[in-house]
Amino acid sequence: MDGLHAATESEVGCVLGIGTYRHAAGVFQSGSGEAGIEAVKRRGRACMASPFIPAQDATSNIQTAIYHGGSDAMRGDSVAAMWPTLEVIRDIYTKAPGGEVILTWITLWDARTAFRSGAYRRASYKLA
């Protein structure tokens, strides 16, 4: 949390490597019976494992993770604008001999992707 991209823990999501996710699922807080991964999921916005995070280093047993702060639309990384109209074009002539009407549906949308690197943090975890 930095207050700019995420104001609370519930606005932070993470993508962990498979090894880190498995490790966190096997570590329990004493007396509670809650696994580490359960605590992360309960306190954060989202937490998931991904095979796209490189595997842990064989010599140091360190694996990286990526954290993303921000679920508030005003602080988001991108915007996809959709206009509130849907246009339907009715063509009654092209296939009139067969008794068919062709309908074409059109909607307009646009996307602006403004990557905000400050919303992301890389972390490293030692697994053994």
Side-chain angles (χ1 to χ4, degrees):
M1 284 179 319
D2 60 4
L4 178 62
H5 300 97
T8 65
E9 288 177 327
S10 63
E11 295 179 357
V12 177
C14 65
V15 179
L16 304 174
I18 293 170
T20 304
Y21 193 95
R22 284 184 183 149
H23 179 73
V27 176
F28 293 86
Q29 182 180 11
S30 57
S32 75
E34 182 179 45
I37 200 69
E38 292 171 328
V40 171
K41 287 180 176 183
R42 178 176 46 81
R43 294 172 68 172
R45 179 173 47 90
C47 182
M48 62 192 77
S50 172
F52 297 109
I53 300 289
Q56 68 222 42
D57 182 78
T59 55
S60 65
N61 285 325
I62 292 177
Q63 187 172 35
T64 60
I66 299 171
Y67 286 86
H68 175 258
S71 61
D72 181 356
M74 296 304 292
R75 303 182 220 192
D77 296 329
S78 59
V79 174
M82 294 197 68
W83 282 259
T85 60
L86 177 67
E87 184 176 343
V88 179
I89 301 171
R90 189 169 180 249
D91 178 1
I92 60 172
Y93 303 106
T94 303
K95 294 197 174 184
E100 294 181 41
V101 175
I102 299 172
L103 297 176
T104 304
W105 300 62
I106 298 173
T107 187
L108 300 175
W109 71 279
D110 192 10
R112 179 180 183 275
T113 304
F115 180 70
R116 294 171 49 185
S117 61
Y120 296 87
R121 294 283 185 268
R122 186 180 298 252
S124 298
Y125 293 99
K126 187 163 183 76
L127 303 182

